[in-house]
Amino acid sequence: MTKRMQWEKLISDKRFGLEQYHNPTPGARSDFQRDYDRLVFSSPFRRLQNKTQVFPLPGSIFVHNRLTHSMEVSCVGRSLANEVSNALQINYKSEPWCNKLNDLGDIVAAACLAHDLGNPPFGHSGEKAISTFFSEGEGVGLQKELSKEEWNDLIHFEGNANSLRLLIHQFEGRRPGGFAMTYSMLASIVKYPYESTLAGNANKFGFFISEKNDFERIANELGILPRYGSNGEVAFVRHPLVYIVEAADDICYEVMDIEDAHKLKILTTEEVTNLLMGFFEDKRRQHMIEVMKNVADPNEKVSYMRSCVIGRLVSRCAEAFVAHEDEILEGRFNGSLIDHIPSLEREGYNRCNEMSWAKIYKAGDVVDIELAGNQIITYLLGKFIYAVTNPQLNYSKLLLSKVPQQYDINAPTLYGRIQGVIDHVSGMTDVYALDLYRKLNGMSLPAV
């Protein structure tokens, strides 16, 4: 008989690190709503407003940053999860735990807010800068002093794994359990639920070796199916809600990047109209054309089409989730929800993706921020890692005095000290990283 995960167990409001205080009695807010609120009021979430999404941070024209992206993903994720919840409650209406499905929207909304918390400054180029510092930069020489698992964590550095660490690690002076989030919310952000030794060429994994036991505890508590590697490496199938978080992220970054590119005049109104209208059949397109006759502003027309596309993709992804629920719960589902939507919408999405790679991600300003970000992060990592490996030097003492107390740069192991440095650098905003880079290079001094 095929093993199957159970919704009753997958939806758990037990808090990581505060298990002994678990109180199942509901209050004015559910624990999943508390997760959401706790994130909104947190410093790491606020710092996302000054981290690059794709385009350089806005001047006179507003484009998305990590904060606005995360908020939009959360809105889309909640809508998608609620559609799924409504359908599943019909299927499970006779089950005593059916009301638990009401919480899917709140769990996903919180997970979407948290999904990018661990991303370093300067967008995805920041992740690459950290991993290549060790695989092909100054950090290469450290390999012989680290275990295979520790080294793989560093050369495959992944923002997703760093998000989990940020949420559950007990930083210096902080309480056990980190943010003390619910088990279900934590599992819902882990897109790649296996350790770094299984990352392969894709450079994707879900938790560092330092959080491996913690994630195993979360997965076992929720009844997530294990898939251990051939050499005993820790791996699991995804928590089902990961697919919803992933779909919301996919929808937002693809569609919103197109809208941002239009505002920045990288794409013309005609190009964007052709792309976004391609998600609809003739009858719906004609209706949208009639609506837009009342709107003169091209940006407003694009906003209207964008909202229609997001609504269509949300419905189609929800339908795909419900249609493939058995495969998802049995760990047999392959690909993303976007891969399983009808061909009209899937081909529309693929055309947007192709345009993004052809004209957006290779745009001059985007490449410039990647080059600058790579240089800044590589330089900062080099300085701080040299300092933690040579703490007796006067310059090291001066530099390390600037590291916030919560980061354990005095850990007993080299891996722990390196993690402390990465915690610090990855938590920086774009502006702070640039300012520190200038100061350390003597290009900027405090006013005297």
Side-chain angles (χ1 to χ4, degrees), residues 54 113 158 299:
V54 172
L113 278 190
E158 225 288 328
N299 286 329

Side-chain angles (χ1 to χ4, degrees), residues 148-354:
K148 175 186 174 183
E149 293 78 12
E150 292 168 344
W151 183 246
N152 272 283
D153 282 357
L154 299 179
I155 63 173
H156 297 298
F157 177 84
E158 225 288 328
N160 190 242
N162 204 41
S163 294
L164 181 68
R165 174 176 170 80
L166 186 62
L167 289 171
I168 70 176
H169 179 68
Q170 184 179 0
F171 289 95
E172 293 294 294
R174 303 300 177 88
R175 66 180 174 185
F179 277 57
M181 308 303 268
T182 60
Y183 276 49
S184 293
M185 178 270 171
L186 290 170
S188 297
I189 70 167
V190 183
K191 290 175 65 175
Y192 317 104
Y194 44 82
E195 59 183 281
S196 60
T197 48
L198 298 175
N201 295 328
N203 266 24
K204 300 294 185 183
F205 66 102
F207 45 86
F208 299 119
I209 195 71
S210 50
E211 282 73 55
K212 181 173 78 167
N213 292 339
D214 292 331
F215 183 76
E216 276 193 285
R217 176 151 57 102
I218 293 168
N220 290 330
E221 171 72 24
L222 299 176
I224 300 176
L225 299 177
R227 274 185 178 170
Y228 293 102
S230 57
N231 295 314
E233 300 95 341
V234 171
F236 290 85
V237 306
R238 286 177 165 185
H239 188 289
L241 298 186
V242 171
Y243 290 102
I244 298 178
V245 174
E246 178 185 51
D249 189 28
D250 288 347
I251 291 168
C252 286
Y253 80 70
E254 196 60 75
V255 179
M256 302 313 299
D257 286 354
I258 296 290
E259 184 175 13
D260 280 349
H262 177 259
K263 289 180 179 178
L264 294 168
K265 302 189 185 308
I266 295 171
L267 297 178
T268 67
T269 303
E270 182 181 5
E271 286 176 313
V272 173
T273 299
N274 289 336
L275 282 173
L276 300 184
M277 284 295 194
F279 284 84
F280 305 99
E281 63 285 347
D282 289 341
K283 184 177 179 180
R284 179 66 186 277
R285 281 203 299 266
Q286 290 305 313
H287 171 75
M288 292 170 65
I289 290 170
E290 288 299 314
V291 170
M292 287 189 291
K293 285 180 179 179
N294 300 314
V295 180
D297 185 345
N299 286 329
E300 283 300 306
K301 290 183 177 181
V302 170
S303 293
Y304 168 69
M305 289 186 286
R306 175 259 299 158
S307 68
C308 293
V309 169
I310 289 177
R312 174 62 65 93
L313 289 175
V314 164
S315 294
R316 292 293 184 257
C317 286
E319 292 165 3
F321 186 99
V322 175
H324 295 276
E325 184 205 1
D326 287 339
E327 296 162 59
I328 291 171
L329 291 177
E330 293 169 6
R332 298 185 292 108
F333 186 73
N334 294 315
S336 67
L337 293 180
I338 293 284
D339 295 331
H340 294 267
I341 63 178
S343 59
L344 175 65
E345 293 86 356
R346 188 174 68 251
E347 289 167 7
Y349 182 90
N350 290 337
R351 283 191 295 270
C352 287
N353 189 51
E354 290 166 6

Side-chain angles (χ1 to χ4, degrees), residues 72-130:
E72 289 171 350
V73 173
S74 183
C75 291
V76 171
R78 178 188 281 113
S79 296
L80 207 168
N82 284 339
E83 288 201 25
V84 169
S85 172
N86 291 339
L88 293 183
Q89 286 187 72
I90 295 172
N91 297 340
Y92 293 109
K93 61 184 178 183
S94 61
E95 298 291 344
W97 48 263
C98 183
N99 284 343
K100 275 192 163 191
L101 295 168
N102 286 323
D103 290 320
L104 295 192
D106 289 330
I107 298 170
V108 169
C112 289
L113 278 190
H115 82 285
D116 272 351
L117 279 187
N119 279 41
F122 306 109
H124 289 294
S125 62
E127 289 178 284
K128 192 67 175 175
I130 293 174

Side-chain angles (χ1 to χ4, degrees), residues 132-144:
T132 56
F133 175 86
F134 297 99
S135 63
E136 56 189 59
E138 292 179 36
V140 166
L142 297 170
Q143 180 177 4
K144 60 183 180 295

